[in-house]
Amino acid sequence: MSQDEDRSQDRILFHLKTRGPQVAADIGARLDMTPAGARQHLLKLEAAGLVESEDQREGRGRPRKYWRLTQRGHERFPDRHSDLTLDLLQSMRDVFGDDGRERLIEHRERAIVANYRKFVRAQGSLRQKLTALARIRSREGYMASVAKDTRDSFLLVENHCPICAAATACQGLCRSELAVFRAVLGTDVTVERIDHILAGARRCAYRITRRQPG
């Protein structure tokens, strides 16, 4: 790869990092590239695992392809948020004790539930709700997906945990994540964690089962 090409791709990564998902034409216009040139760079970055795309419909007409950084793309930028989070959790415990830290987790849980419900409750079937939930979680870095499990159940799989360092230090965060899913998906399903990264698994996975009327 030439230095000019490398520099152009770095500019695209920085642009996506600072401005969020963009279409190729807007990236090209902003960075003084042709749309075709921007798309060519994006395809190479996609092959390297640094960006990914998603079609989004905006009114009538064909969907537009939006490009965004993958987790690997985000990791190209200096980031010490894990260290900061651990320091804050320890400081919270030192200053306010375990009760104070639990109140912080509960506050975070309520805020997440309220946010997720805005996107999930409008969906119809259980699969649609889980797909919406997986999309939100993937945007947050969890690399989430949904798969059919049995006739009455699905699997929500998360292949990455962006809060792993914090969850290791404060396992109440993992307990809270499970409570969030149960609150968002409603009382007509059960949510069970069957794989757990902190327990040594490759991934976190949750079995969501429809409750049988009885």
Side-chain angles (χ1 to χ4, degrees), residues 131-174:
T131 299
L133 180 58
R135 188 177 298 119
I136 299 168
R137 298 288 286 180
S138 290
R139 285 202 297 264
E140 295 175 353
Y142 289 88
M143 300 175 64
S145 62
V146 178
K148 186 70 175 173
D149 183 34
T150 69
R151 185 171 63 88
D152 295 314
S153 67
F154 294 90
L155 293 180
L156 175 65
V157 176
E158 297 184 337
N159 291 296
H160 180 69
C161 179
I163 65 165
C164 194
T168 300
C170 179
Q171 297 198 14
L173 290 172
C174 283

Side-chain angles (χ1 to χ4, degrees), residues 67-91:
W67 294 89
R68 61 172 178 255
L69 295 182
T70 62
Q71 184 65 27
R72 181 186 290 183
H74 283 291
E75 290 170 357
R76 288 283 293 266
F77 297 87
D79 189 357
R80 295 194 65 236
H81 72 275
S82 293
D83 294 340
L84 175 60
T85 301
L86 293 176
D87 288 345
L88 288 172
L89 286 171
Q90 186 58 50
S91 296

